[in-house]
Amino acid sequence: MTDHVLIERPEAHPGVQVIRFNRPEKKNAITRDMYAKMTNALTVASSDPAVRATAFLGTDGCFSAGNDMADFLAFAMGGSMGIEVIEFLKALATATKPVVSGVDGLAIGIGTTIHLHCDLTIASERSVFKTPFVDLALVPEAASSLIAPRIMGHQRAFALLAAGEPLTAGEAVDAGLIWKIVGADAVERETLALAGRLAKKPPEALRIARDLVRGDRSDVLARIDEEAKHFAAQLKSAEARAAFEAFMRR
Ligand code: COA
């Protein structure tokens, strides 16, 4: 495993586990190894009483540029997609303790859809949320095709997921994708403080409140699988391969 994802338990915030993207040279693009490490961290969080909240963070000016394009291309060329991304999405969707995220800058593809599974997201004003799935000849993932229309309505979900229109941080707040905006230099501090406050609450009451607010997740899990079938088929298409090759050639 690489250190492209760091798992931390900051002393200043007891009960908080941080999952930090740490691949700034590749805009925190997420590889199969990185998904596996994050799944493991989420699994540990569910069973370890010392973890009461998880916080996703990126690096200065970049949360994540989404799935690694080289991994997409490898699959398009006949390789295995692996199960890492689906395992990660399911671990995230079924996480039993609060998950928060802090975004500064780029949030692309799964770097955007991940927040649909977070309970609270803080972002800097300069953040941009975008899912260019269709431009890459792909389809929405992470059950975003189910959750996004529910929270933001058809038109905004279509603009984001099908038309690939970017959302500013302000638009993301209005759409209900994220909770609030802070200065870029405050994202990490505020995200950790928020997770720390959640970690101090009575855990059983918080678990029940969270379950009630989120509702049953079986439809979310089913949609992750349904989207994944289309996603895998499209990844093998000539139009997707052309898009990945064009990106790699830039
Ligand atoms: N997968 C793999 N590598 C990626 C990547 C991704 N998703 N996004 C960025 N990178 C790499 C670039 O290839 C480049 O690597 P290099 O320096 O070895 O050439 C490095 O990160 C910096 O990216 P660059 O494109 O030079 O930075 P930029 O500021 O000009 O643009 C983005 C940033 C994110 C807008 C642009 O890189 C991009 O569009 N990335 C693809 C995003 C995407 O479509 N993700 C999949 C969603 S489903």
Side-chain angles (χ1 to χ4, degrees):
M1 292 243 172
T2 66
D3 61 358
H4 289 155
V5 169
L6 301 176
I7 311 299
E8 302 160 355
R9 294 198 185 181
E11 268 178 35
H13 301 286
V16 175
Q17 170 178 257
V18 176
I19 300 180
R20 187 189 295 273
F21 296 117
N22 182 42
R23 199 189 178 204
E25 70 283 3
K26 292 287 183 189
K27 303 285 177 191
N28 294 331
I30 309 173
T31 61
R32 291 172 60 177
D33 259 9
M34 291 164 72
Y35 286 120
K37 196 164 174 181
M38 295 193 293
T39 302
N40 188 52
L42 290 170
T43 307
V44 167
S46 287
S47 60
D48 184 348
V51 178
R52 293 196 175 187
T54 293
F56 282 97
L57 288 170
T59 48
D60 186 27
C62 184
F63 182 74
S64 172
N67 200 96
D68 189 279
M69 296 288 257
D71 281 2
F72 275 166
L73 184 59
F75 181 73
M77 304 289 278
S80 155
M81 182 64 189
I83 51 166
E84 291 87 351
V85 62
I86 298 300
E87 285 185 342
F88 168 70
L89 292 174
K90 290 187 174 177
L92 181 61
T94 56
T96 55
K97 295 173 187 170
V99 180
V100 304
S101 49
V103 178
D104 175 35
L106 288 171
I108 304 185
I110 196 166
T112 282
T113 56
I114 197 172
H115 310 296
L116 294 166
H117 298 275
C118 292
D119 300 301
L120 292 166
T121 298
I122 289 175
S124 64
E125 270 169 23
R126 65 179 174 176
S127 298
V128 178
F129 300 85
K130 182 174 159 77
T131 65
F133 299 126
V134 173
D135 294 322
L136 293 170
L138 298 174
V139 301
E141 38 69 313
S144 56
S145 63
L146 180 73
I147 304 171
R150 276 183 186 164
I151 65 171
M152 60 183 80
H154 170 76
Q155 297 233 348
R156 281 188 291 193
F158 187 89
L160 178 69
L161 299 175
E165 294 288 334
L167 288 183
T168 62
E171 288 166 342
V173 171
D174 290 345
L177 175 65
I178 68 171
W179 180 45
K180 73 172 182 178
I181 300 173
V182 300
D185 57 354
V187 168
E188 174 157 342
R189 188 176 68 243
E190 298 247 352
T191 304
L192 291 177
L194 178 63
R197 291 198 296 279
L198 291 171
K200 286 195 183 110
K201 295 193 187 293
E204 186 57 11
L206 182 57
R207 184 191 66 73
I208 295 168
R210 183 172 181 265
D211 281 353
L212 289 168
V213 171
R214 284 159 68 86
D216 179 59
R217 307 300 279 177
S218 51
D219 54 352
V220 169
L221 295 174
R223 185 62 65 98
I224 288 172
D225 284 332
E226 188 184 345
E227 290 169 344
K229 274 190 215 141
H230 293 292
F231 203 97
Q234 280 302 118
L235 269 171
K236 296 273 187 199
S237 69
E239 56 187 10
R241 194 160 132 180
F244 307 147
E245 283 173 346
F247 178 79
M248 302 310 285
R249 267 199 310 273
R250 291 174 331 146

